[in-house]
Structure formats: C-alpha cells, structure tokens
Amino acid sequence: MMKLEDIKIGMKIWQIGHWSNLPESGTVKAIKYTEVSKMHPEPVPYVEVDWDECGGTSGAKLDEIYPSYEELQIGEKAREDKAVAKIKSEVHDVKDLVKFMYHATLNGGEYVNYDERRAARELAKELLDLDLE
C-alpha cells in the first residue's frame, strides 16, 4: 500500500493483477482523482499506470500498489492473512464450514477467491483433519 506523497511520476510500482492474480509491474504515468459522485463525495486519488507485461494503461488504487516486489509480497501476505482470519472467525463447526463452502467460489476458474479457498483448506484440516491439497 502506498501513500500519495510517496508516489512520483515515472516510478515503478507493483500490484496483484485483477485477472491474472499474479504480481504485475508498471510505471506511474499520472496521479489522478476520481470524479465526485454519490460513491465518492470527495475526490479519491489513484495512479494511471503503463503496465510492463500487457503493454496497456489503466488506473490503480493506492491501497493496492507497492513500491517494490518485496513489499508487494509482504503486503499481500498480510492482507491475505487478515482476510483468512476473518473468514475463520465466522466458522465455528462443521455445519458452518459446509455452509461457507457451499456459498464460496472455491473452484470457479478465473473467479476463484483464493482467500476463501485457503480458509476452507485450513478449516477442513482443523475441524475434520482432512487434507484438501
């Protein structure tokens, strides 16, 4: 996650790709602000990025970008751990686990939620001593 004051035009940034779910790097082209709307009553900053691999340009939210690959790994691990802990805190028994797994996207190709998938795997091991790997 980056702060607005730490971002400079021309710097390389990293994020997890929305479609690939893999690390992607790019160069900051501009710092922009969202339009005022009901969803954003005040302008929200974001960066316009020229991506290295896909060759395209798109916007990226400040809370999803990192200044290095190493910081991306650390930040994403912390985000994932927090998301998995939240899911696990809401599952107390096998009945809860079955309900959770029924509604989660665990095997949907490009739509898989990997935080939910990890939580399901860990909960199955903890509650049922079942390895889902």
Side-chain angles (χ1 to χ4, degrees), residues 74-126:
I74 293 166
E76 280 300 300
K77 176 76 167 96
R79 184 208 53 76
E80 180 183 314
D81 289 347
K82 183 178 177 182
V84 169
K86 181 181 182 318
I87 293 167
K88 290 174 70 173
S89 74
E90 298 169 356
V91 176
H92 307 290
D93 54 28
V94 173
K95 183 178 176 181
D96 290 343
L97 176 59
V98 171
K99 285 180 180 179
F100 164 70
M101 291 177 74
Y102 181 78
H103 293 286
T105 307
L106 305 177
N107 292 307
E110 67 188 74
Y111 304 107
V112 170
N113 181 317
Y114 290 96
D115 299 336
E116 290 177 343
R117 190 173 170 91
R118 178 180 146 197
R121 185 176 59 246
E122 290 179 11
L123 286 162
K125 182 65 176 170
E126 292 167 15

Side-chain angles (χ1 to χ4, degrees), residues 27-87:
T27 304
V28 175
K29 288 180 59 175
I31 298 170
K32 297 186 172 188
Y33 292 84
T34 60
E35 297 285 326
V36 173
S37 66
K38 286 182 181 179
M39 186 173 172
H40 299 288
E42 295 193 25
V44 177
Y46 68 96
V47 292
E48 185 175 279
V49 182
D50 186 17
W51 298 104
D52 295 336
E53 292 299 316
C54 68
T57 300
S58 69
K61 296 188 226 177
L62 301 187
D63 63 351
E64 295 179 353
I65 62 172
Y66 297 86
S68 69
Y69 178 73
E70 293 76 18
E71 288 187 52
L72 170 72
Q73 290 178 305
I74 293 166
E76 280 300 300
K77 176 76 167 96
R79 184 208 53 76
E80 180 183 314
D81 289 347
K82 183 178 177 182
V84 169
K86 181 181 182 318
I87 293 167

